[in-house]
């Protein structure tokens, strides 16, 4: 029997909410379409003149790869120009993009935050990259221009979150608060099929993912956790795996069991990962898959955001491993 398609799954879930207008389904289906278009370009990156830097930098003075710019444009066009949302914020845009109010008939109630192509430094070396998205209900009045507060909501208020991983196969993994489901693209048909229903972290994790090149700058608690993982004892030593692409490291750790760490470093004293469009969506997915996400002291989803591109220390994965990290931080830091 053919597995369910993503489109069928979205509609089936909508029917569980008899009063729904279909707006969230339309939004999820637009993300699905944009993901297929980005996938086409990511897979062709080696063949067309789209590799390499776009010749300018984004708001974080990071050199924008051409695919970054393209993915950003594709997702914004898919969501904003069709008025499927009232606003969108992106890692590649200094300010949020407002639709509600410019076109007064825009009565949509969702805002979306995206990292259009996370891990883009891997593009030119053919390592998997990903798109991350996060969806909230606006808190300002429908029909009015969106406000910054619509985007600065704690992660626990998310309506949906997910990622697309452009890897050996392309998958879309998302949650609306009722578990995590993974869909694999059949490139011949251009259809996502349900391949990983109700994804959960394994009971125990044995992988740790961290850039140990920053070791000398890590807080003592993180150094102690790394040495703990390397001890020959109990269910250790762990395996060290780090791709340099959050979506890929997270996806592998959710399937095999493990934890991803991006602690404060000398270059990024508040951590490198962005709270709104990287940490919150991955934290929502992690909790829905039985895992945990923390900044070392509190759940990521409980953090009250103060600015669009704020960074936080980020530890996400198996609950037992994240709790162990918190213990080491609270003892040594
Ligand atoms: P809507 O009016 O379509 O925006 O739906 C209202 C609410 O119903 C959403 O905010 C969700 O909480 C839920 N809902 C509607 N459609 C879906 C869907 N396809 N998948 C999961 N939840 C949904
Ligand atoms: P570093 C990609 O730029 C990213 O935001 C994550 O996807 C990835 O895990 C991390 O940064 C890699 O950072 O400093 O280890 O190269």
């Amino acid at each position: 029997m053919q597995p369910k398609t993503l489109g069928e799954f979205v509609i089936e879930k909508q029917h569980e909410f008899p009063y729904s207008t279909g707006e969230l389904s339309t939004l999820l289906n637009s993300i699905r379409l944009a993901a297929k278009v980005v996938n086409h370009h990511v897979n062709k990156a080696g063949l067309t003149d789209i590799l390499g830097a776009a010749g300018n930098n984004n708001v974080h003075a990071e050199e924008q790869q051409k695919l970054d710019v393209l993915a950003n444009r594709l997702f914004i066009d898919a969501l904003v120009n069709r008025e499927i949302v009232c606003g969108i914020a992106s890692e590649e845009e200094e300010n949020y993009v407002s639709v509600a109010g410019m076109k007064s008939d825009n009565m949509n109630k969702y805002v979306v935050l995206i990292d259009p192509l996370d891990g883009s430094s891997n593009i030119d070396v053919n390592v998997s990259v990903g798109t991350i998205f996060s969806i909230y209900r606006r808190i300002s009045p429908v029909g009015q221009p969106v406000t910054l507060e619509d985007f600065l909501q704690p992660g626990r208020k998310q309506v949906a979150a997910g990622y697309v991983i452009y890897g050996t196969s392309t998958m879309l993994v998302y949650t609306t608060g009722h578990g995590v489901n993974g869909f694999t693209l059949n490139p011949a048909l251009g259809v996502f099929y349900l391949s990983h229903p109700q994804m959960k972290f394994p009971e125990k994790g044995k992988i740790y993912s961290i850039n140990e090149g920053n070791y000398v700058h890590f807080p003592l608690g993180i150094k102690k956790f790394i040495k703990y993982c390397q001890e020959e004892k109990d269910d250790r030593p762990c395996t060290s795996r780090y791709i340099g692409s959050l979506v890929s490291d997270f996806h592998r750790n959710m399937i095999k069991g493990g934890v991803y760490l991006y602690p404060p470093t000398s270059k990024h004293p508040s951590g490198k990962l962005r709270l709104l469009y990287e940490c919150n969506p991955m934290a929502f997915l992690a909790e829905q898959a039985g895992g945990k996400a923390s900044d070392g002291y509190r759940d990521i989803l409980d953090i009250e955001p103060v600015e669009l591109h704020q960074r936080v220390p980020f530890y996400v994965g198996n609950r037992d491993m994240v709790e162990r990290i918190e213990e080491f931080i609270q003892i040594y830091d």
Side-chain angles (χ1 to χ4, degrees):
M1 177 186 165
Q2 276 280 42
K4 214 167 282 182
T5 69
L6 176 55
E8 291 166 2
F9 185 90
V10 167
I11 293 303
E12 179 186 291
K13 294 304 171 190
Q14 178 189 331
H15 293 153
E16 294 174 10
F17 300 85
Y19 301 106
S20 72
T21 63
E23 193 175 324
L24 182 63
S25 297
T26 302
L27 173 45
L28 292 169
N29 285 327
S30 299
I31 290 171
R32 167 168 61 103
L33 175 62
K36 284 195 268 192
V37 178
V38 171
N39 176 65
H40 169 75
H41 288 284
V42 167
N43 284 344
K44 298 288 174 290
L47 302 174
T48 55
D49 174 33
I50 203 153
L51 278 175
N56 46 28
N57 289 345
N58 64 15
V59 293
H60 318 292
E62 289 165 349
E63 192 174 50
Q64 278 188 318
Q65 302 290 330
K66 285 181 182 175
L67 267 178
D68 273 343
V69 176
L70 177 71
N72 185 53
R73 184 46 42 211
L74 287 167
F75 273 97
I76 288 178
D77 289 352
L79 298 173
V80 171
N81 293 3
R82 288 197 192 87
E83 290 189 43
I84 291 169
V85 294
C86 55
I88 187 168
S90 168
E91 181 192 38
E92 304 301 334
E93 301 285 338
E94 186 153 4
N95 297 309
Y96 59 84
V97 176
S98 168
V99 181
M102 283 187 327
K103 305 173 185 175
S104 56
D105 56 349
N106 180 321
M107 304 302 280
N108 289 315
K109 57 177 179 280
Y110 296 115
V111 295
V112 179
L113 299 97
I114 58 165
D115 182 355
L117 209 60
D118 181 72
S120 53
S121 57
N122 287 312
I123 293 170
D124 287 356
V125 293
N126 207 9
V127 169
S128 57
V129 293
T131 297
I132 308 172
F133 62 90
S134 172
I135 299 170
Y136 291 85
R137 259 180 220 87
R138 70 180 298 174
I139 52 178
S140 58
V142 171
Q144 299 299 313
V146 287
T147 64
L148 183 58
E149 283 61 40
D150 290 314
F151 298 94
L152 298 183
Q153 300 184 54
R156 231 170 263 294
K157 299 275 193 184
Q158 291 174 96
V159 172
Y163 58 80
V164 185
I165 178 168
Y166 310 99
T168 45
S169 62
T170 294
M171 283 188 68
L172 191 151
V173 178
Y174 84 102
T175 183
T176 58
H178 305 281
V180 177
N181 291 285
F183 300 80
T184 300
L185 180 68
N186 176 333
L189 303 177
V191 178
F192 282 101
Y193 287 101
L194 179 60
S195 53
H196 296 66
Q198 289 301 322
M199 298 178 80
K200 291 285 183 192
F201 282 94
E203 190 59 34
K204 289 283 179 192
K206 283 199 68 175
I207 297 171
Y208 69 98
S209 306
I210 189 169
N211 183 344
E212 294 194 51
N214 297 318
Y215 183 85
V216 295
H217 302 296
F218 288 155
L220 180 57
I222 299 301
K223 293 179 178 175
K224 292 287 188 184
F225 175 74
I226 292 171
K227 295 308 167 199
Y228 169 83
C229 289
Q230 294 168 345
E231 282 174 347
E232 298 266 355
K233 202 173 174 183
D234 304 334
D235 52 357
R236 283 162 286 145
C238 297
T239 295
S240 172
R241 286 280 183 278
Y242 190 70
I243 296 177
S245 176
L246 167 62
V247 170
S248 306
D249 281 315
F250 179 93
H251 185 75
R252 181 207 51 247
N253 291 348
M254 183 160 62
I255 292 172
K256 290 183 175 283
V259 67
Y260 170 97
L261 305 89
Y262 210 104
T265 65
S266 58
K267 186 177 175 192
H268 296 293
S270 303
K272 177 182 181 187
L273 277 294
R274 285 84 167 186
L275 173 62
L276 292 185
Y277 41 78
E278 290 175 330
C279 302
N280 272 335
M282 302 312 268
F284 189 15
L285 289 161
E287 288 202 2
Q288 285 291 311
K292 183 178 173 69
S294 168
D295 68 352
Y297 300 93
R298 53 195 166 159
D299 284 356
I300 290 291
L301 296 179
D302 293 334
I303 297 175
E304 290 286 344
V306 294
E307 67 98 18
L308 212 47
H309 300 290
Q310 91 182 70
R311 300 174 192 264
V312 291
F314 190 45
Y315 311 108
V316 62
N318 268 80
R319 175 169 292 279
D320 62 324
M321 297 183 89
V322 175
E323 286 172 349
R324 180 72 68 185
I325 291 167
E326 289 181 324
E327 286 165 20
F328 278 113
I329 288 174
Q330 280 147 26
I331 295 168
Y332 294 102
D333 293 321

